[in-house]
PDB file of all heavy atoms in Angstrom:
ATOM      1  N   ALA A   3       2.014   5.226   0.522  1.00 59.00           N
ATOM      2  CA  ALA A   3       1.786   6.181   1.604  1.00 59.00           C
ATOM      3  C   ALA A   3       0.590   7.080   1.317  1.00 59.00           C
ATOM      4  O   ALA A   3      -0.092   7.514   2.230  1.00 59.00           O
ATOM      5  CB  ALA A   3       3.038   7.011   1.829  1.00 59.00           C
ATOM      6  N   THR A   5      -2.234   6.228  -0.166  1.00 79.00           N
ATOM      7  CA  THR A   5      -3.499   5.532   0.054  1.00 79.00           C
ATOM      8  C   THR A   5      -3.551   4.832   1.409  1.00 79.00           C
ATOM      9  O   THR A   5      -4.531   4.191   1.733  1.00 79.00           O
ATOM     10  CB  THR A   5      -3.752   4.493  -1.057  1.00 79.00           C
ATOM     11  OG1 THR A   5      -2.690   3.537  -1.043  1.00 79.00           O
ATOM     12  CG2 THR A   5      -3.843   5.148  -2.411  1.00 79.00           C
ATOM     13  N   ASP A   6      -2.495   4.956   2.194  1.00 90.00           N
ATOM     14  CA  ASP A   6      -2.424   4.336   3.505  1.00 90.00           C
ATOM     15  C   ASP A   6      -3.251   5.155   4.489  1.00 90.00           C
ATOM     16  O   ASP A   6      -2.918   6.291   4.799  1.00 90.00           O
ATOM     17  CB  ASP A   6      -0.960   4.269   3.943  1.00 90.00           C
ATOM     18  CG  ASP A   6      -0.715   3.253   5.021  1.00 90.00           C
ATOM     19  OD1 ASP A   6      -1.630   2.472   5.336  1.00 90.00           O
ATOM     20  OD2 ASP A   6       0.399   3.241   5.539  1.00 90.00           O
ATOM     21  N   ARG A   7      -4.322   4.565   5.008  1.00 95.00           N
ATOM     22  CA  ARG A   7      -5.214   5.288   5.915  1.00 95.00           C
ATOM     23  C   ARG A   7      -4.613   5.411   7.305  1.00 95.00           C
ATOM     24  O   ARG A   7      -3.910   4.531   7.770  1.00 95.00           O
ATOM     25  CB  ARG A   7      -6.545   4.545   6.024  1.00 95.00           C
ATOM     26  CG  ARG A   7      -7.391   4.651   4.804  1.00 95.00           C
ATOM     27  CD  ARG A   7      -8.758   4.048   5.005  1.00 95.00           C
ATOM     28  NE  ARG A   7      -9.240   4.268   6.369  1.00 95.00           N
ATOM     29  CZ  ARG A   7     -10.082   3.461   7.003  1.00 95.00           C
ATOM     30  NH1 ARG A   7     -10.534   2.385   6.422  1.00 95.00           N
ATOM     31  NH2 ARG A   7     -10.473   3.715   8.234  1.00 95.00           N
ATOM     32  N   LEU A   8      -4.911   6.506   7.957  1.00 97.00           N
ATOM     33  CA  LEU A   8      -4.559   6.696   9.357  1.00 97.00           C
ATOM     34  C   LEU A   8      -5.769   6.291  10.189  1.00 97.00           C
ATOM     35  O   LEU A   8      -6.866   6.822  10.003  1.00 97.00           O
ATOM     36  CB  LEU A   8      -4.204   8.159   9.635  1.00 97.00           C
ATOM     37  CG  LEU A   8      -2.910   8.672   9.030  1.00 97.00           C
ATOM     38  CD1 LEU A   8      -2.774  10.175   9.292  1.00 97.00           C
ATOM     39  CD2 LEU A   8      -1.723   7.931   9.603  1.00 97.00           C
ATOM     40  N   LEU A   9      -5.565   5.357  11.099  1.00 97.00           N
ATOM     41  CA  LEU A   9      -6.653   4.846  11.924  1.00 97.00           C
ATOM     42  C   LEU A   9      -6.514   5.365  13.344  1.00 97.00           C
ATOM     43  O   LEU A   9      -5.404   5.518  13.860  1.00 97.00           O
ATOM     44  CB  LEU A   9      -6.609   3.315  11.953  1.00 97.00           C
ATOM     45  CG  LEU A   9      -6.584   2.600  10.605  1.00 97.00           C
ATOM     46  CD1 LEU A   9      -6.456   1.095  10.822  1.00 97.00           C
ATOM     47  CD2 LEU A   9      -7.826   2.914   9.798  1.00 97.00           C
ATOM     48  N   ASP A  10      -7.663   5.625  13.985  1.00 97.00           N
ATOM     49  CA  ASP A  10      -7.581   5.959  15.400  1.00 97.00           C
ATOM     50  C   ASP A  10      -7.376   4.658  16.176  1.00 97.00           C
ATOM     51  O   ASP A  10      -7.372   3.568  15.594  1.00 97.00           O
ATOM     52  CB  ASP A  10      -8.809   6.741  15.871  1.00 97.00           C
ATOM     53  CG  ASP A  10     -10.117   5.978  15.741  1.00 97.00           C
ATOM     54  OD1 ASP A  10     -10.105   4.730  15.753  1.00 97.00           O
ATOM     55  OD2 ASP A  10     -11.167   6.640  15.653  1.00 97.00           O
ATOM     56  N   VAL A  11      -7.191   4.755  17.465  1.00 97.00           N
ATOM     57  CA  VAL A  11      -6.852   3.582  18.267  1.00 97.00           C
ATOM     58  C   VAL A  11      -7.967   2.542  18.228  1.00 97.00           C
ATOM     59  O   VAL A  11      -7.707   1.343  18.148  1.00 97.00           O
ATOM     60  CB  VAL A  11      -6.511   3.993  19.717  1.00 97.00           C
ATOM     61  CG1 VAL A  11      -6.244   2.783  20.583  1.00 97.00           C
ATOM     62  CG2 VAL A  11      -5.310   4.923  19.723  1.00 97.00           C
ATOM     63  N   GLU A  13     -10.132   1.977  15.762  1.00 97.00           N
ATOM     64  CA  GLU A  13     -10.084   1.321  14.448  1.00 97.00           C
ATOM     65  C   GLU A  13      -8.882   0.389  14.335  1.00 97.00           C
ATOM     66  O   GLU A  13      -8.972  -0.681  13.743  1.00 97.00           O
ATOM     67  CB  GLU A  13     -10.029   2.377  13.338  1.00 97.00           C
ATOM     68  CG  GLU A  13     -11.295   3.200  13.218  1.00 97.00           C
ATOM     69  CD  GLU A  13     -11.132   4.386  12.290  1.00 97.00           C
ATOM     70  OE1 GLU A  13     -10.035   4.985  12.252  1.00 97.00           O
ATOM     71  OE2 GLU A  13     -12.120   4.718  11.595  1.00 97.00           O
ATOM     72  N   ALA A  14      -7.762   0.801  14.932  1.00 97.00           N
ATOM     73  CA  ALA A  14      -6.563  -0.041  14.921  1.00 97.00           C
ATOM     74  C   ALA A  14      -6.827  -1.337  15.685  1.00 97.00           C
ATOM     75  O   ALA A  14      -6.437  -2.422  15.237  1.00 97.00           O
ATOM     76  CB  ALA A  14      -5.380   0.699  15.527  1.00 97.00           C
ATOM     77  N   GLU A  36       4.817   1.873  15.016  1.00 96.00           N
ATOM     78  CA  GLU A  36       4.954   3.213  14.450  1.00 96.00           C
ATOM     79  C   GLU A  36       3.601   3.920  14.530  1.00 96.00           C
ATOM     80  O   GLU A  36       2.559   3.322  14.254  1.00 96.00           O
ATOM     81  CB  GLU A  36       5.388   3.075  12.998  1.00 96.00           C
ATOM     82  CG  GLU A  36       5.606   4.382  12.291  1.00 96.00           C
ATOM     83  CD  GLU A  36       6.025   4.138  10.857  1.00 96.00           C
ATOM     84  OE1 GLU A  36       7.168   3.736  10.646  1.00 96.00           O
ATOM     85  OE2 GLU A  36       5.174   4.336   9.967  1.00 96.00           O
ATOM     86  N   TYR A  37       3.620   5.197  14.920  1.00 97.00           N
ATOM     87  CA  TYR A  37       2.374   5.958  14.995  1.00 97.00           C
ATOM     88  C   TYR A  37       2.622   7.409  14.609  1.00 97.00           C
ATOM     89  O   TYR A  37       3.759   7.851  14.497  1.00 97.00           O
ATOM     90  CB  TYR A  37       1.745   5.864  16.388  1.00 97.00           C
ATOM     91  CG  TYR A  37       2.571   6.473  17.500  1.00 97.00           C
ATOM     92  CD1 TYR A  37       2.352   7.773  17.911  1.00 97.00           C
ATOM     93  CD2 TYR A  37       3.558   5.738  18.139  1.00 97.00           C
ATOM     94  CE1 TYR A  37       3.097   8.326  18.936  1.00 97.00           C
ATOM     95  CE2 TYR A  37       4.307   6.267  19.159  1.00 97.00           C
ATOM     96  CZ  TYR A  37       4.069   7.572  19.560  1.00 97.00           C
ATOM     97  OH  TYR A  37       4.806   8.124  20.567  1.00 97.00           O
ATOM     98  N   VAL A  38       1.529   8.142  14.411  1.00 97.00           N
ATOM     99  CA  VAL A  38       1.593   9.547  14.009  1.00 97.00           C
ATOM    100  C   VAL A  38       0.836  10.361  15.041  1.00 97.00           C
ATOM    101  O   VAL A  38      -0.268   9.989  15.447  1.00 97.00           O
ATOM    102  CB  VAL A  38       0.936   9.748  12.616  1.00 97.00           C
ATOM    103  CG1 VAL A  38       0.943  11.213  12.224  1.00 97.00           C
ATOM    104  CG2 VAL A  38       1.613   8.891  11.571  1.00 97.00           C
ATOM    105  N   LYS A  39       1.426  11.451  15.492  1.00 96.00           N
ATOM    106  CA  LYS A  39       0.735  12.367  16.391  1.00 96.00           C
ATOM    107  C   LYS A  39       0.147  13.492  15.550  1.00 96.00           C
ATOM    108  O   LYS A  39       0.839  14.165  14.810  1.00 96.00           O
ATOM    109  CB  LYS A  39       1.701  12.968  17.406  1.00 96.00           C
ATOM    110  CG  LYS A  39       2.191  12.027  18.468  1.00 96.00           C
ATOM    111  CD  LYS A  39       1.178  11.790  19.542  1.00 96.00           C
ATOM    112  CE  LYS A  39       1.118  12.994  20.456  1.00 96.00           C
ATOM    113  NZ  LYS A  39       0.299  12.802  21.627  1.00 96.00           N
ATOM    114  N   VAL A  40      -1.154  13.681  15.678  1.00 93.00           N
ATOM    115  CA  VAL A  40      -1.851  14.782  15.013  1.00 93.00           C
ATOM    116  C   VAL A  40      -2.426  15.634  16.142  1.00 93.00           C
ATOM    117  O   VAL A  40      -3.496  15.317  16.676  1.00 93.00           O
ATOM    118  CB  VAL A  40      -2.966  14.274  14.070  1.00 93.00           C
ATOM    119  CG1 VAL A  40      -3.638  15.443  13.371  1.00 93.00           C
ATOM    120  CG2 VAL A  40      -2.424  13.269  13.083  1.00 93.00           C
ATOM    121  N   VAL A  44      -3.573  10.368  18.497  1.00 97.00           N
ATOM    122  CA  VAL A  44      -2.671   9.336  18.002  1.00 97.00           C
ATOM    123  C   VAL A  44      -3.351   8.626  16.845  1.00 97.00           C
ATOM    124  O   VAL A  44      -4.513   8.228  16.940  1.00 97.00           O
ATOM    125  CB  VAL A  44      -2.336   8.315  19.116  1.00 97.00           C
ATOM    126  CG1 VAL A  44      -1.558   7.138  18.562  1.00 97.00           C
ATOM    127  CG2 VAL A  44      -1.576   8.987  20.229  1.00 97.00           C
ATOM    128  N   ARG A  45      -2.627   8.471  15.751  1.00 98.00           N
ATOM    129  CA  ARG A  45      -3.137   7.740  14.584  1.00 98.00           C
ATOM    130  C   ARG A  45      -2.098   6.700  14.187  1.00 98.00           C
ATOM    131  O   ARG A  45      -0.889   6.933  14.298  1.00 98.00           O
ATOM    132  CB  ARG A  45      -3.390   8.678  13.397  1.00 98.00           C
ATOM    133  CG  ARG A  45      -4.454   9.736  13.672  1.00 98.00           C
ATOM    134  CD  ARG A  45      -5.819   9.106  13.795  1.00 98.00           C
ATOM    135  NE  ARG A  45      -6.858  10.084  14.011  1.00 98.00           N
ATOM    136  CZ  ARG A  45      -7.429  10.341  15.180  1.00 98.00           C
ATOM    137  NH1 ARG A  45      -7.028   9.692  16.258  1.00 98.00           N
ATOM    138  NH2 ARG A  45      -8.377  11.230  15.292  1.00 98.00           N
ATOM    139  N   ILE A  46      -2.595   5.555  13.745  1.00 98.00           N
ATOM    140  CA  ILE A  46      -1.712   4.461  13.351  1.00 98.00           C
ATOM    141  C   ILE A  46      -2.009   4.110  11.907  1.00 98.00           C
ATOM    142  O   ILE A  46      -3.166   3.900  11.541  1.00 98.00           O
ATOM    143  CB  ILE A  46      -1.933   3.233  14.262  1.00 98.00           C
ATOM    144  CG1 ILE A  46      -1.722   3.623  15.731  1.00 98.00           C
ATOM    145  CG2 ILE A  46      -0.993   2.097  13.864  1.00 98.00           C
ATOM    146  CD1 ILE A  46      -2.115   2.546  16.718  1.00 98.00           C
ATOM    147  N   ARG A  47      -0.965   4.073  11.085  1.00 97.00           N
ATOM    148  CA  ARG A  47      -1.142   3.729   9.668  1.00 97.00           C
ATOM    149  C   ARG A  47      -1.527   2.254   9.534  1.00 97.00           C
ATOM    150  O   ARG A  47      -1.030   1.403  10.286  1.00 97.00           O
ATOM    151  CB  ARG A  47       0.145   3.959   8.894  1.00 97.00           C
ATOM    152  CG  ARG A  47       0.454   5.392   8.636  1.00 97.00           C
ATOM    153  CD  ARG A  47       1.617   5.510   7.640  1.00 97.00           C
ATOM    154  NE  ARG A  47       1.890   6.900   7.371  1.00 97.00           N
ATOM    155  CZ  ARG A  47       2.830   7.599   7.991  1.00 97.00           C
ATOM    156  NH1 ARG A  47       3.588   7.028   8.891  1.00 97.00           N
ATOM    157  NH2 ARG A  47       3.008   8.864   7.697  1.00 97.00           N
ATOM    158  N   GLU A  48      -2.372   1.961   8.553  1.00 97.00           N
ATOM    159  CA  GLU A  48      -2.745   0.574   8.281  1.00 97.00           C
ATOM    160  C   GLU A  48      -1.507  -0.275   7.998  1.00 97.00           C
ATOM    161  O   GLU A  48      -1.405  -1.407   8.461  1.00 97.00           O
ATOM    162  CB  GLU A  48      -3.694   0.490   7.084  1.00 97.00           C
ATOM    163  CG  GLU A  48      -5.099   0.932   7.396  1.00 97.00           C
ATOM    164  CD  GLU A  48      -6.013   0.801   6.194  1.00 97.00           C
ATOM    165  OE1 GLU A  48      -5.579   1.101   5.065  1.00 97.00           O
ATOM    166  OE2 GLU A  48      -7.159   0.377   6.395  1.00 97.00           O
ATOM    167  N   SER A  49      -0.561   0.291   7.255  1.00 97.00           N
ATOM    168  CA  SER A  49       0.651  -0.461   6.918  1.00 97.00           C
ATOM    169  C   SER A  49       1.494  -0.753   8.160  1.00 97.00           C
ATOM    170  O   SER A  49       2.158  -1.780   8.233  1.00 97.00           O
ATOM    171  CB  SER A  49       1.486   0.286   5.881  1.00 97.00           C
ATOM    172  OG  SER A  49       1.911   1.542   6.394  1.00 97.00           O
ATOM    173  N   ILE A  51       0.268  -1.380  11.147  1.00 97.00           N
ATOM    174  CA  ILE A  51      -0.411  -2.502  11.799  1.00 97.00           C
ATOM    175  C   ILE A  51      -0.068  -3.799  11.075  1.00 97.00           C
ATOM    176  O   ILE A  51       0.272  -4.806  11.710  1.00 97.00           O
ATOM    177  CB  ILE A  51      -1.931  -2.279  11.833  1.00 97.00           C
ATOM    178  CG1 ILE A  51      -2.254  -1.084  12.729  1.00 97.00           C
ATOM    179  CG2 ILE A  51      -2.656  -3.536  12.319  1.00 97.00           C
ATOM    180  CD1 ILE A  51      -3.672  -0.613  12.638  1.00 97.00           C
TER     181      ILE A  51
END
Side-chain angles (χ1 to χ4, degrees):
T5 60
D6 200 9
R7 288 187 35 208
L8 290 175
L9 307 177
D10 62 26
V11 176
E13 293 170 325
E36 182 180 286
Y37 64 95
V38 177
K39 288 282 284 188
V40 182
V44 172
R45 297 291 182 258
I46 303 171
R47 285 190 179 96
E48 285 181 320
S49 62
I51 294 169

